[in-house]
Amino acid sequence: MEQNKKKENLPVSRQAKGFSYVGRRKLASAPTGPLLSQMSYLRTTLCSTIRHHMNLKLSLLIFLWVILNSFGQQCEYQEYFLLTDLAKDQTSKKDYKAAKNNFKQAFSKTSFPLGHDLSYALYVADETNDDEWALLIAKQLAKGGIPLRYFVKFKKRKWYKRFVSEFHSLNQYYEENFNLEIRVRFLELSKKDADFTEKYHSWRVREIELTKEELINDATERLNDFKEFNQKYGFPNEQTMGYNYNRRLNRIEPYPVGAMMIHIYQMGVLLYQDSIPNFVCTGGLHPSYKKNLKTIRGFGNSTGVKQEIEARFAKFRGEPINH
């Protein structure tokens, strides 16, 4: 009995681990009178303060969600590019089922899928024997200006005969809804950009010689032509020009807008820096250019064509820079 009593008098924390120790201390009497009123007031104030901060936090979260959701809605091609990049990678790995799913998701994000992506999707539709989807894609490409000769490689497919029967009306849609003048003018600018870039590199490796003034004038003319194009027609994109068909290679390519922007940045002019995110959101530039154009620079201090050409003459011809 005596041993049992001693066991019962052990602290609770030693009898049952995990419970708080109470022991045999005398409990304090409950507060009364003014003290009770003070405690009640403090408790009420504390609860009110906690509720207030919780409401502020909730309001802030709702505000951030609205802003982010609004941005996502405004940036039409944000998810589109993520999905098409993934789908093209899956296509290269011959995971056609996954690629098909991601292409379809991407095309649901916009009313105007881009031509290069559609050409990949047509290949995936063909590999998965999805004739209905292949016909749908082919029609979209034809409405964007892709000629019938591109589709001849699919002439043995079930959908091809129906597609040919509708091609005239699809091509007519292209002529009525896209500005062929803009396309022609941009391709002229693109050729001029390629010609200048080739000529500059020939000078750089000493295959030809050019004066400083010749390089400055050619680079300035290219820059001004591109700026005038944008002022007259807006930033180049497929929504206004239609899809870019390379007849020589019989394939659909993105317009070389990003390459042109890189060349202009390399020649000392950081054009449209603040507008790059918008060009991405409207499908005019791939998101990779948003990142690349932040770091692409020439050999000068990016203050203009003249300073950049002088910096290149200093580097490749050993001439001092005029200050």
Side-chain angles (χ1 to χ4, degrees), residues 45 192 229 271 281:
T45 303
K192 181 181 283 190
F229 176 94
L271 193 65
C281 285

Side-chain angles (χ1 to χ4, degrees), residues 208-271:
I208 62 172
E209 283 302 324
L210 297 166
T211 65
K212 192 181 294 183
E213 288 69 28
E214 284 177 314
L215 278 173
I216 291 173
N217 290 340
D218 285 352
T220 301
E221 182 180 350
R222 177 185 63 174
L223 170 66
N224 290 338
D225 283 349
F226 187 60
K227 289 167 70 174
E228 287 172 11
F229 176 94
N230 289 309
Q231 289 170 0
K232 185 174 181 179
Y233 303 113
F235 194 77
N237 58 50
E238 294 182 1
Q239 291 92 325
T240 54
M241 298 188 292
Y243 299 133
N244 185 29
Y245 173 67
N246 186 324
R247 184 178 180 84
R248 182 175 64 86
L249 299 175
N250 192 35
R251 70 184 185 194
I252 301 164
E253 302 174 338
Y255 285 103
V257 184
M260 192 177 295
M261 290 287 287
I262 285 175
H263 296 156
I264 289 171
Y265 273 50
Q266 288 174 332
M267 280 295 158
V269 181
L270 307 182
L271 193 65

Side-chain angles (χ1 to χ4, degrees), residues 22-34:
V22 176
R24 293 179 177 273
R25 282 187 294 179
K26 186 178 179 181
L27 293 173
S29 58
T32 58

